[in-house]
Amino acid sequence: MSPIRHNCAGLSRRDFLQIGLGGTLGLGLCDLLRARALGATTTPGAKNVNCIMIWMDGGPSHYETFDPKPDAPPEIRGTFGTIPTCVPGVHFCETVPQLAQAFDKFTVIRSICHKDPNHGGGNHYMMTGAPTPVPVGCGAFVTFHPSFGSMVSYDRGVRSGLPAYMAMPSNTRSGGPNFLGGQHAPFVIGGDPNSTGFQVRDVVVPAEIAEGRVTSRRDLRASLDRLPRFNDQLVDDPAVVFDKFYQQGFDLVSSSKAQAAFDISREDAKVRDRYGRNDMGQRMLMARRLVEVGVSWVTVNYGGWDDHKKLFETYKGQRLKTFDQGLSALITDLHERGLAENTMVIALGEFGRTPKVNKDLGRDHWPFAMSVLMAGAGIPGGQIVGATDAKGYHASENVYRPEDFAASLYTKMGIDPNVTLESGSGRPVPLVNEGRLIKELFV
């Protein structure tokens, strides 16, 4: 299993407190079911589109992925060459050959940009569609606005007994629900699905239940309540006293559908090989299995992209190979299984990287240009949207903001981006502030 990677800002004790108080870490099964006893709302007529977000925490380089600049000076273009995609006239960096050959199945937007160069603010902006109302530190874990996954959970609620919003192996720093409430934090699937005997926390039937030793509802309640969980302080729910919460928990852990979705060992070995026998490749495969049974939003938190040093050496290594293999397999697999029309796939980070290579042979934070991959849900394949200038400094054609990305994402999910929410204090909050649709995604 790959170690958890931190970006240049690290993680402070205060950040951990913010995670707990703000609900960005995620919840265990018992917490989610307890909180959801309060009920959920569903938008009538919402499209049956689910989403898998590959979050590239730290900020991937647009130069070394989907927007190479082969004609720029060496200190800008870097050391990699380009590779033709399956669409004539379009080239990617040579680091992503498998995605280049699958380009007919997805769009790359090269012209989304903003002005926040910090991890904390950039993450919040690209994970919620809303900038932070005040400047925040680079290493901040903040939640001023509901994340995309939490809003989808709020809109749709539980489906087939499964939480609407899941994240693995951890939640993102701004992936929480804010004022929507703890019941819309993600259910977090930790661990390494590539490891032998992998099991998902909270969906393994307690031994005393599996062995038939439960003799009363009181025993059942006690068994389920011992399951590990996070952030009890998130949920202040009087419904915890009702037995139906525990019945919901039992329904999930005893559901053959849920057990089958989480048991990745049931997947054909050739399919597992196709995604890559590594933690991230298998998480992308797990994400496909989850949306296949009706989970509305899955975030795969793929960190380690904050390459201030030795970027070219790192990009020659396993991370890009893992990303290229796993994501190309996911997109192709969804198409082959007939799931692409109702499954959107997104890959992005909080910003791009600086045009000039620094003294440490890395690139620094650069929010003025970035590339975002989007596939499925009717999004055209083989399409480049927008452009950066000749040296990759700035988005220069069909320039879009994070608000536009959010409006387009919500529209694809069947959620009206123009709705106004109500904060815990009763203050009206627009879901998206003046976002316009990225028209190329709706051709």
Tab-separated table of all heavy atoms in Angstrom, residues 201-260:
chain	number	residue	atom	x	y	z
A	201	ARG	N	-14.110	-1.531	5.914
A	201	ARG	CA	-14.525	-1.236	7.278
A	201	ARG	C	-16.031	-0.969	7.342
A	201	ARG	O	-16.594	-0.260	6.527
A	201	ARG	CB	-13.784	0.019	7.773
A	201	ARG	CG	-14.195	0.505	9.142
A	201	ARG	CD	-13.448	1.776	9.514
A	201	ARG	NE	-13.688	2.861	8.584
A	201	ARG	CZ	-14.738	3.678	8.663
A	201	ARG	NH1	-15.651	3.500	9.593
A	201	ARG	NH2	-14.882	4.658	7.787
A	202	ASP	N	-16.691	-1.549	8.323
A	202	ASP	CA	-18.101	-1.308	8.638
A	202	ASP	C	-19.094	-2.098	7.794
A	202	ASP	O	-20.284	-1.992	8.015
A	202	ASP	CB	-18.483	0.176	8.531
A	202	ASP	CG	-18.004	0.985	9.723
A	202	ASP	OD1	-17.271	0.428	10.557
A	202	ASP	OD2	-18.369	2.157	9.820
A	203	VAL	N	-18.630	-2.848	6.790
A	203	VAL	CA	-19.595	-3.652	6.045
A	203	VAL	C	-19.292	-5.140	6.164
A	203	VAL	O	-19.808	-5.942	5.414
A	203	VAL	CB	-19.682	-3.256	4.554
A	203	VAL	CG1	-20.183	-1.836	4.410
A	203	VAL	CG2	-18.341	-3.415	3.860
A	204	VAL	N	-18.454	-5.482	7.123
A	204	VAL	CA	-18.207	-6.887	7.435
A	204	VAL	C	-19.157	-7.284	8.557
A	204	VAL	O	-19.242	-6.614	9.578
A	204	VAL	CB	-16.746	-7.110	7.875
A	204	VAL	CG1	-16.522	-8.573	8.242
A	204	VAL	CG2	-15.794	-6.677	6.779
A	205	VAL	N	-19.887	-8.342	8.349
A	205	VAL	CA	-20.845	-8.775	9.360
A	205	VAL	C	-20.097	-9.157	10.636
A	205	VAL	O	-19.148	-9.950	10.596
A	205	VAL	CB	-21.658	-9.985	8.852
A	205	VAL	CG1	-22.642	-10.457	9.926
A	205	VAL	CG2	-22.407	-9.616	7.582
A	206	PRO	N	-20.467	-8.572	11.793
A	206	PRO	CA	-19.820	-8.957	13.044
A	206	PRO	C	-19.894	-10.469	13.259
A	206	PRO	O	-20.875	-11.117	12.885
A	206	PRO	CB	-20.630	-8.199	14.101
A	206	PRO	CG	-21.193	-7.019	13.361
A	206	PRO	CD	-21.475	-7.517	11.980
A	207	ALA	N	-18.851	-11.023	13.864
A	207	ALA	CA	-18.732	-12.482	13.996
A	207	ALA	C	-19.931	-13.082	14.707
A	207	ALA	O	-20.432	-14.144	14.322
A	207	ALA	CB	-17.447	-12.822	14.741
A	208	GLU	N	-20.427	-12.407	15.740
A	208	GLU	CA	-21.535	-12.986	16.491
A	208	GLU	C	-22.823	-13.034	15.674
A	208	GLU	O	-23.679	-13.877	15.895
A	208	GLU	CB	-21.766	-12.218	17.803
A	208	GLU	CG	-22.068	-10.744	17.626
A	208	GLU	CD	-20.797	-9.914	17.692
A	208	GLU	OE1	-19.756	-10.355	17.146
A	208	GLU	OE2	-20.839	-8.815	18.262
A	209	ILE	N	-22.948	-12.114	14.677
A	209	ILE	CA	-24.108	-12.164	13.786
A	209	ILE	C	-23.919	-13.279	12.766
A	209	ILE	O	-24.811	-14.083	12.509
A	209	ILE	CB	-24.316	-10.808	13.083
A	209	ILE	CG1	-24.656	-9.728	14.123
A	209	ILE	CG2	-25.422	-10.904	12.037
A	209	ILE	CD1	-24.804	-8.336	13.521
A	210	ALA	N	-22.708	-13.309	12.163
A	210	ALA	CA	-22.435	-14.314	11.135
A	210	ALA	C	-22.595	-15.728	11.687
A	210	ALA	O	-23.006	-16.645	10.984
A	210	ALA	CB	-21.020	-14.119	10.581
A	211	GLU	N	-22.271	-15.892	12.976
A	211	GLU	CA	-22.343	-17.219	13.575
A	211	GLU	C	-23.703	-17.503	14.192
A	211	GLU	O	-23.906	-18.544	14.823
A	211	GLU	CB	-21.253	-17.334	14.649
A	211	GLU	CG	-19.852	-17.255	14.061
A	211	GLU	CD	-18.780	-17.142	15.135
A	211	GLU	OE1	-19.135	-17.282	16.331
A	211	GLU	OE2	-17.619	-16.914	14.795
A	212	GLY	N	-24.653	-16.589	14.039
A	212	GLY	CA	-26.002	-16.828	14.506
A	212	GLY	C	-26.174	-16.724	16.002
A	212	GLY	O	-27.099	-17.313	16.565
A	213	ARG	N	-25.275	-15.971	16.675
A	213	ARG	CA	-25.330	-15.921	18.124
A	213	ARG	C	-26.178	-14.774	18.661
A	213	ARG	O	-26.317	-14.617	19.863
A	213	ARG	CB	-23.924	-15.818	18.703
A	213	ARG	CG	-23.061	-17.032	18.401
A	213	ARG	CD	-21.997	-17.216	19.469
A	213	ARG	NE	-21.204	-16.012	19.671
A	213	ARG	CZ	-20.037	-15.781	19.093
A	213	ARG	NH1	-19.562	-16.648	18.219
A	213	ARG	NH2	-19.363	-14.698	19.362
A	214	VAL	N	-26.706	-13.906	17.770
A	214	VAL	CA	-27.538	-12.809	18.238
A	214	VAL	C	-28.913	-13.353	18.606
A	214	VAL	O	-29.572	-14.008	17.808
A	214	VAL	CB	-27.664	-11.727	17.159
A	214	VAL	CG1	-28.668	-10.670	17.587
A	214	VAL	CG2	-26.305	-11.088	16.916
A	215	THR	N	-29.351	-13.088	19.814
A	215	THR	CA	-30.620	-13.641	20.278
A	215	THR	C	-31.695	-12.585	20.440
A	215	THR	O	-32.844	-12.929	20.684
A	215	THR	CB	-30.415	-14.343	21.624
A	215	THR	OG1	-29.879	-13.413	22.582
A	215	THR	CG2	-29.458	-15.513	21.472
A	216	SER	N	-31.333	-11.319	20.312
A	216	SER	CA	-32.337	-10.271	20.492
A	216	SER	C	-31.912	-9.022	19.735
A	216	SER	O	-30.758	-8.872	19.342
A	216	SER	CB	-32.510	-9.928	21.973
A	216	SER	OG	-31.340	-9.285	22.467
A	217	ARG	N	-32.865	-8.092	19.563
A	217	ARG	CA	-32.539	-6.818	18.923
A	217	ARG	C	-31.519	-6.046	19.762
A	217	ARG	O	-30.707	-5.300	19.226
A	217	ARG	CB	-33.816	-5.990	18.723
A	217	ARG	CG	-34.749	-6.552	17.668
A	217	ARG	CD	-36.025	-5.711	17.584
A	217	ARG	NE	-35.755	-4.369	17.107
A	217	ARG	CZ	-35.610	-4.034	15.820
A	217	ARG	NH1	-35.691	-4.980	14.884
A	217	ARG	NH2	-35.388	-2.796	15.456
A	218	ARG	N	-31.567	-6.247	21.067
A	218	ARG	CA	-30.595	-5.577	21.919
A	218	ARG	C	-29.185	-6.060	21.606
A	218	ARG	O	-28.228	-5.274	21.537
A	218	ARG	CB	-30.935	-5.837	23.379
A	218	ARG	CG	-30.001	-5.136	24.353
A	218	ARG	CD	-30.451	-5.383	25.778
A	218	ARG	NE	-29.572	-4.731	26.732
A	218	ARG	CZ	-29.754	-4.765	28.041
A	218	ARG	NH1	-30.789	-5.434	28.541
A	218	ARG	NH2	-28.911	-4.147	28.848
A	219	ASP	N	-29.030	-7.377	21.381
A	219	ASP	CA	-27.719	-7.908	21.025
A	219	ASP	C	-27.266	-7.387	19.666
A	219	ASP	O	-26.091	-7.060	19.465
A	219	ASP	CB	-27.755	-9.435	20.986
A	219	ASP	CG	-27.977	-10.029	22.374
A	219	ASP	OD1	-27.591	-9.376	23.359
A	219	ASP	OD2	-28.548	-11.124	22.448
A	220	LEU	N	-28.204	-7.334	18.712
A	220	LEU	CA	-27.905	-6.821	17.383
A	220	LEU	C	-27.434	-5.387	17.470
A	220	LEU	O	-26.440	-4.989	16.866
A	220	LEU	CB	-29.148	-6.919	16.487
A	220	LEU	CG	-29.074	-6.209	15.123
A	220	LEU	CD1	-27.953	-6.809	14.296
A	220	LEU	CD2	-30.406	-6.347	14.413
A	221	ARG	N	-28.148	-4.600	18.244
A	221	ARG	CA	-27.810	-3.191	18.408
A	221	ARG	C	-26.399	-3.037	18.968
A	221	ARG	O	-25.585	-2.241	18.487
A	221	ARG	CB	-28.830	-2.539	19.337
A	221	ARG	CG	-28.542	-1.098	19.720
A	221	ARG	CD	-29.756	-0.552	20.452
A	221	ARG	NE	-29.492	0.769	20.993
A	221	ARG	CZ	-30.438	1.615	21.353
A	221	ARG	NH1	-31.700	1.271	21.220
A	221	ARG	NH2	-30.136	2.799	21.843
A	222	ALA	N	-26.080	-3.814	19.985
A	222	ALA	CA	-24.760	-3.736	20.607
A	222	ALA	C	-23.669	-4.153	19.622
A	222	ALA	O	-22.592	-3.558	19.577
A	222	ALA	CB	-24.726	-4.607	21.847
A	223	SER	N	-23.925	-5.163	18.812
A	223	SER	CA	-22.931	-5.649	17.853
A	223	SER	C	-22.615	-4.584	16.817
A	223	SER	O	-21.457	-4.316	16.500
A	223	SER	CB	-23.445	-6.917	17.154
A	223	SER	OG	-23.638	-7.952	18.084
A	224	LEU	N	-23.657	-3.969	16.254
A	224	LEU	CA	-23.447	-2.953	15.234
A	224	LEU	C	-22.813	-1.708	15.824
A	224	LEU	O	-22.016	-1.032	15.174
A	224	LEU	CB	-24.774	-2.603	14.554
A	224	LEU	CG	-25.360	-3.699	13.681
A	224	LEU	CD1	-26.740	-3.289	13.176
A	224	LEU	CD2	-24.449	-4.009	12.507
A	225	ASP	N	-23.150	-1.358	17.060
A	225	ASP	CA	-22.642	-0.133	17.648
A	225	ASP	C	-21.161	-0.222	17.972
A	225	ASP	O	-20.536	0.788	18.250
A	225	ASP	CB	-23.436	0.208	18.913
A	225	ASP	CG	-23.301	1.686	19.269
A	225	ASP	OD1	-23.182	2.486	18.329
A	225	ASP	OD2	-23.301	2.013	20.468
A	226	ARG	N	-20.558	-1.417	17.929
A	226	ARG	CA	-19.133	-1.547	18.167
A	226	ARG	C	-18.317	-1.336	16.905
A	226	ARG	O	-17.090	-1.333	16.953
A	226	ARG	CB	-18.821	-2.930	18.753
A	226	ARG	CG	-19.220	-3.062	20.222
A	226	ARG	CD	-18.491	-4.234	20.867
A	226	ARG	NE	-18.842	-5.498	20.261
A	226	ARG	CZ	-19.858	-6.260	20.680
A	226	ARG	NH1	-20.635	-5.852	21.662
A	226	ARG	NH2	-20.102	-7.430	20.110
A	227	LEU	N	-18.973	-1.171	15.758
A	227	LEU	CA	-18.231	-0.929	14.527
A	227	LEU	C	-17.466	0.390	14.635
A	227	LEU	O	-17.967	1.365	15.183
A	227	LEU	CB	-19.197	-0.857	13.336
A	227	LEU	CG	-19.919	-2.158	12.983
A	227	LEU	CD1	-20.942	-1.897	11.891
A	227	LEU	CD2	-18.946	-3.228	12.540
A	228	PRO	N	-16.234	0.465	14.122
A	228	PRO	CA	-15.451	1.693	14.227
A	228	PRO	C	-16.085	2.820	13.418
A	228	PRO	O	-16.722	2.597	12.398
A	228	PRO	CB	-14.084	1.297	13.641
A	228	PRO	CG	-14.381	0.150	12.743
A	228	PRO	CD	-15.503	-0.596	13.388
A	229	ARG	N	-15.901	4.042	13.870
A	229	ARG	CA	-16.472	5.173	13.161
A	229	ARG	C	-15.700	6.438	13.513
A	229	ARG	O	-14.944	6.488	14.470
A	229	ARG	CB	-17.944	5.328	13.489
A	229	ARG	CG	-18.271	5.342	14.974
A	229	ARG	CD	-19.776	5.332	15.152
A	229	ARG	NE	-20.187	5.349	16.529
A	229	ARG	CZ	-20.581	4.306	17.223
A	229	ARG	NH1	-20.601	3.119	16.666
A	229	ARG	NH2	-20.963	4.418	18.476
A	230	PHE	N	-15.933	7.508	12.736
A	230	PHE	CA	-15.284	8.785	12.940
A	230	PHE	C	-16.300	9.844	13.339
A	230	PHE	O	-17.476	9.777	12.974
A	230	PHE	CB	-14.616	9.271	11.646
A	230	PHE	CG	-13.505	8.405	11.164
A	230	PHE	CD1	-13.521	7.898	9.875
A	230	PHE	CD2	-12.439	8.113	11.979
A	230	PHE	CE1	-12.494	7.108	9.419
A	230	PHE	CE2	-11.397	7.326	11.523
A	230	PHE	CZ	-11.422	6.820	10.246
A	231	ASN	N	-15.847	10.871	14.056
A	231	ASN	CA	-16.544	12.147	14.178
A	231	ASN	C	-17.935	12.060	14.776
A	231	ASN	O	-18.905	12.531	14.194
A	231	ASN	CB	-16.624	12.838	12.802
A	231	ASN	CG	-15.264	13.201	12.273
A	231	ASN	OD1	-14.260	12.954	12.926
A	231	ASN	ND2	-15.230	13.785	11.102
A	232	ASP	N	-18.071	11.460	15.940
A	232	ASP	CA	-19.362	11.459	16.614
A	232	ASP	C	-19.885	12.867	16.833
A	232	ASP	O	-21.091	13.090	16.869
A	232	ASP	CB	-19.251	10.757	17.971
A	232	ASP	CG	-19.361	9.246	17.845
A	232	ASP	OD1	-19.878	8.789	16.813
A	232	ASP	OD2	-18.923	8.547	18.757
A	233	GLN	N	-18.972	13.838	16.993
A	233	GLN	CA	-19.413	15.197	17.274
A	233	GLN	C	-20.144	15.833	16.097
A	233	GLN	O	-20.787	16.859	16.248
A	233	GLN	CB	-18.225	16.089	17.662
A	233	GLN	CG	-17.222	16.343	16.548
A	233	GLN	CD	-16.085	15.359	16.551
A	233	GLN	OE1	-16.296	14.173	16.803
A	233	GLN	NE2	-14.880	15.818	16.281
A	234	LEU	N	-20.039	15.220	14.910
A	234	LEU	CA	-20.715	15.782	13.739
A	234	LEU	C	-22.222	15.647	13.825
A	234	LEU	O	-22.952	16.430	13.221
A	234	LEU	CB	-20.255	15.071	12.459
A	234	LEU	CG	-18.901	15.459	11.893
A	234	LEU	CD1	-18.616	14.601	10.693
A	234	LEU	CD2	-18.875	16.927	11.546
A	235	VAL	N	-22.692	14.652	14.484
A	235	VAL	CA	-24.102	14.299	14.413
A	235	VAL	C	-24.749	14.410	15.786
A	235	VAL	O	-24.399	13.689	16.699
A	235	VAL	CB	-24.283	12.873	13.859
A	235	VAL	CG1	-25.758	12.526	13.758
A	235	VAL	CG2	-23.614	12.746	12.498
A	236	ASP	N	-25.671	15.337	15.900
A	236	ASP	CA	-26.450	15.490	17.125
A	236	ASP	C	-27.869	15.073	16.787
A	236	ASP	O	-28.705	15.879	16.421
A	236	ASP	CB	-26.396	16.944	17.598
A	236	ASP	CG	-27.163	17.153	18.891
A	236	ASP	OD1	-27.489	16.148	19.536
A	236	ASP	OD2	-27.427	18.319	19.238
A	237	ASP	N	-28.123	13.769	16.927
A	237	ASP	CA	-29.321	13.202	16.324
A	237	ASP	C	-30.157	12.436	17.351
A	237	ASP	O	-29.738	11.384	17.832
A	237	ASP	CB	-28.906	12.269	15.178
A	237	ASP	CG	-30.107	11.675	14.459
A	237	ASP	OD1	-31.227	12.140	14.670
A	237	ASP	OD2	-29.894	10.724	13.697
A	238	PRO	N	-31.323	12.943	17.673
A	238	PRO	CA	-32.166	12.219	18.627
A	238	PRO	C	-32.656	10.882	18.107
A	238	PRO	O	-33.086	10.027	18.888
A	238	PRO	CB	-33.331	13.182	18.846
A	238	PRO	CG	-33.378	14.027	17.627
A	238	PRO	CD	-31.950	14.188	17.194
A	239	ALA	N	-32.593	10.683	16.795
A	239	ALA	CA	-33.100	9.432	16.228
A	239	ALA	C	-32.222	8.244	16.575
A	239	ALA	O	-32.562	7.104	16.281
A	239	ALA	CB	-33.215	9.551	14.702
A	240	VAL	N	-31.065	8.503	17.213
A	240	VAL	CA	-30.190	7.395	17.577
A	240	VAL	C	-30.890	6.414	18.496
A	240	VAL	O	-30.511	5.231	18.565
A	240	VAL	CB	-28.903	7.938	18.233
A	240	VAL	CG1	-29.185	8.547	19.585
A	240	VAL	CG2	-27.863	6.831	18.367
A	241	VAL	N	-31.896	6.854	19.227
A	241	VAL	CA	-32.563	5.965	20.179
A	241	VAL	C	-33.505	4.997	19.497
A	241	VAL	O	-33.979	4.053	20.126
A	241	VAL	CB	-33.345	6.774	21.235
A	241	VAL	CG1	-32.406	7.692	21.996
A	241	VAL	CG2	-34.471	7.582	20.603
A	242	PHE	N	-33.807	5.187	18.231
A	242	PHE	CA	-34.780	4.332	17.570
A	242	PHE	C	-34.103	3.108	16.978
A	242	PHE	O	-33.046	3.178	16.357
A	242	PHE	CB	-35.503	5.109	16.456
A	242	PHE	CG	-36.335	6.251	16.966
A	242	PHE	CD1	-36.028	7.547	16.643
A	242	PHE	CD2	-37.426	6.006	17.790
A	242	PHE	CE1	-36.797	8.600	17.117
A	242	PHE	CE2	-38.196	7.041	18.275
A	242	PHE	CZ	-37.877	8.359	17.936
A	243	ASP	N	-34.741	1.979	17.162
A	243	ASP	CA	-34.183	0.721	16.692
A	243	ASP	C	-34.048	0.659	15.178
A	243	ASP	O	-33.238	-0.108	14.659
A	243	ASP	CB	-35.055	-0.452	17.144
A	243	ASP	CG	-34.816	-0.812	18.596
A	243	ASP	OD1	-33.792	-0.367	19.156
A	243	ASP	OD2	-35.654	-1.529	19.172
A	244	LYS	N	-34.806	1.475	14.449
A	244	LYS	CA	-34.748	1.348	12.992
A	244	LYS	C	-33.369	1.730	12.463
A	244	LYS	O	-32.954	1.248	11.396
A	244	LYS	CB	-35.823	2.187	12.314
A	244	LYS	CG	-35.641	3.694	12.396
A	244	LYS	CD	-36.744	4.379	11.598
A	244	LYS	CE	-36.578	5.896	11.602
A	244	LYS	NZ	-37.632	6.552	10.820
A	245	PHE	N	-32.621	2.562	13.198
A	245	PHE	CA	-31.250	2.857	12.776
A	245	PHE	C	-30.428	1.583	12.733
A	245	PHE	O	-29.717	1.302	11.774
A	245	PHE	CB	-30.614	3.880	13.713
A	245	PHE	CG	-29.117	3.839	13.692
A	245	PHE	CD1	-28.417	4.234	12.573
A	245	PHE	CD2	-28.409	3.365	14.782
A	245	PHE	CE1	-27.040	4.173	12.539
A	245	PHE	CE2	-27.029	3.300	14.757
A	245	PHE	CZ	-26.347	3.708	13.633
A	246	TYR	N	-30.539	0.783	13.765
A	246	TYR	CA	-29.776	-0.452	13.823
A	246	TYR	C	-30.272	-1.457	12.787
A	246	TYR	O	-29.502	-2.233	12.243
A	246	TYR	CB	-29.845	-1.024	15.238
A	246	TYR	CG	-29.186	-0.090	16.221
A	246	TYR	CD1	-29.935	0.813	16.952
A	246	TYR	CD2	-27.802	-0.088	16.366
A	246	TYR	CE1	-29.316	1.694	17.824
A	246	TYR	CE2	-27.176	0.780	17.233
A	246	TYR	CZ	-27.936	1.679	17.960
A	246	TYR	OH	-27.325	2.556	18.808
A	247	GLN	N	-31.555	-1.408	12.489
A	247	GLN	CA	-32.073	-2.296	11.453
A	247	GLN	C	-31.501	-1.904	10.097
A	247	GLN	O	-31.156	-2.765	9.284
A	247	GLN	CB	-33.609	-2.236	11.405
A	247	GLN	CG	-34.219	-3.208	10.410
A	247	GLN	CD	-33.859	-4.659	10.716
A	247	GLN	OE1	-34.020	-5.119	11.842
A	247	GLN	NE2	-33.351	-5.370	9.718
A	248	GLN	N	-31.364	-0.590	9.856
A	248	GLN	CA	-30.747	-0.146	8.608
A	248	GLN	C	-29.310	-0.633	8.522
A	248	GLN	O	-28.854	-1.074	7.458
A	248	GLN	CB	-30.789	1.386	8.528
A	248	GLN	CG	-32.182	1.964	8.302
A	248	GLN	CD	-32.171	3.480	8.401
A	248	GLN	OE1	-31.191	4.084	8.826
A	248	GLN	NE2	-33.271	4.092	8.022
A	249	GLY	N	-28.595	-0.555	9.656
A	249	GLY	CA	-27.232	-1.042	9.665
A	249	GLY	C	-27.169	-2.524	9.368
A	249	GLY	O	-26.331	-2.982	8.592
A	250	PHE	N	-28.054	-3.291	9.963
A	250	PHE	CA	-28.077	-4.725	9.715
A	250	PHE	C	-28.438	-5.013	8.258
A	250	PHE	O	-27.867	-5.913	7.629
A	250	PHE	CB	-29.079	-5.402	10.648
A	250	PHE	CG	-29.097	-6.895	10.494
A	250	PHE	CD1	-28.072	-7.672	11.000
A	250	PHE	CD2	-30.137	-7.524	9.829
A	250	PHE	CE1	-28.073	-9.047	10.852
A	250	PHE	CE2	-30.146	-8.896	9.670
A	250	PHE	CZ	-29.114	-9.667	10.187
A	251	ASP	N	-29.374	-4.238	7.698
A	251	ASP	CA	-29.758	-4.443	6.307
A	251	ASP	C	-28.558	-4.276	5.379
A	251	ASP	O	-28.407	-5.027	4.404
A	251	ASP	CB	-30.856	-3.453	5.911
A	251	ASP	CG	-32.193	-3.784	6.556
A	251	ASP	OD1	-32.350	-4.921	7.053
A	251	ASP	OD2	-33.080	-2.905	6.562
A	252	LEU	N	-27.698	-3.296	5.689
A	252	LEU	CA	-26.559	-3.062	4.817
A	252	LEU	C	-25.509	-4.157	4.961
A	252	LEU	O	-25.052	-4.716	3.969
A	252	LEU	CB	-25.939	-1.692	5.105
A	252	LEU	CG	-24.714	-1.325	4.242
A	252	LEU	CD1	-25.028	-1.475	2.751
A	252	LEU	CD2	-24.278	0.097	4.544
A	253	VAL	N	-25.133	-4.482	6.198
A	253	VAL	CA	-24.072	-5.475	6.352
A	253	VAL	C	-24.533	-6.870	5.958
A	253	VAL	O	-23.715	-7.749	5.692
A	253	VAL	CB	-23.511	-5.494	7.789
A	253	VAL	CG1	-22.899	-4.161	8.150
A	253	VAL	CG2	-24.559	-5.904	8.798
A	254	SER	N	-25.847	-7.078	5.904
A	254	SER	CA	-26.345	-8.399	5.506
A	254	SER	C	-26.823	-8.425	4.058
A	254	SER	O	-27.300	-9.448	3.577
A	254	SER	CB	-27.497	-8.821	6.431
A	254	SER	OG	-28.579	-7.910	6.334
A	255	SER	N	-26.667	-7.314	3.343
A	255	SER	CA	-27.135	-7.218	1.957
A	255	SER	C	-26.144	-7.897	1.017
A	255	SER	O	-24.963	-7.548	0.979
A	255	SER	CB	-27.297	-5.749	1.561
A	255	SER	OG	-27.392	-5.605	0.161
A	256	SER	N	-26.615	-8.836	0.247
A	256	SER	CA	-25.743	-9.511	-0.714
A	256	SER	C	-25.251	-8.545	-1.783
A	256	SER	O	-24.120	-8.662	-2.275
A	256	SER	CB	-26.486	-10.683	-1.368
A	256	SER	OG	-27.664	-10.229	-2.031
A	257	LYS	N	-26.074	-7.560	-2.130
A	257	LYS	CA	-25.691	-6.573	-3.137
A	257	LYS	C	-24.526	-5.723	-2.636
A	257	LYS	O	-23.538	-5.496	-3.356
A	257	LYS	CB	-26.889	-5.685	-3.470
A	257	LYS	CG	-26.632	-4.676	-4.582
A	257	LYS	CD	-27.919	-3.921	-4.916
A	257	LYS	CE	-27.695	-2.959	-6.077
A	257	LYS	NZ	-28.946	-2.222	-6.418
A	258	ALA	N	-24.630	-5.261	-1.397
A	258	ALA	CA	-23.557	-4.449	-0.822
A	258	ALA	C	-22.290	-5.274	-0.661
A	258	ALA	O	-21.188	-4.828	-1.007
A	258	ALA	CB	-23.997	-3.874	0.519
A	259	GLN	N	-22.424	-6.487	-0.151
A	259	GLN	CA	-21.261	-7.335	0.059
A	259	GLN	C	-20.552	-7.629	-1.262
A	259	GLN	O	-19.324	-7.625	-1.333
A	259	GLN	CB	-21.678	-8.640	0.741
A	259	GLN	CG	-22.201	-8.475	2.161
A	259	GLN	CD	-21.145	-7.941	3.115
A	259	GLN	OE1	-19.981	-8.319	3.029
A	259	GLN	NE2	-21.553	-7.060	4.010
A	260	ALA	N	-21.335	-7.863	-2.312
A	260	ALA	CA	-20.741	-8.153	-3.615
A	260	ALA	C	-19.996	-6.946	-4.166
A	260	ALA	O	-18.912	-7.074	-4.746
A	260	ALA	CB	-21.823	-8.599	-4.592
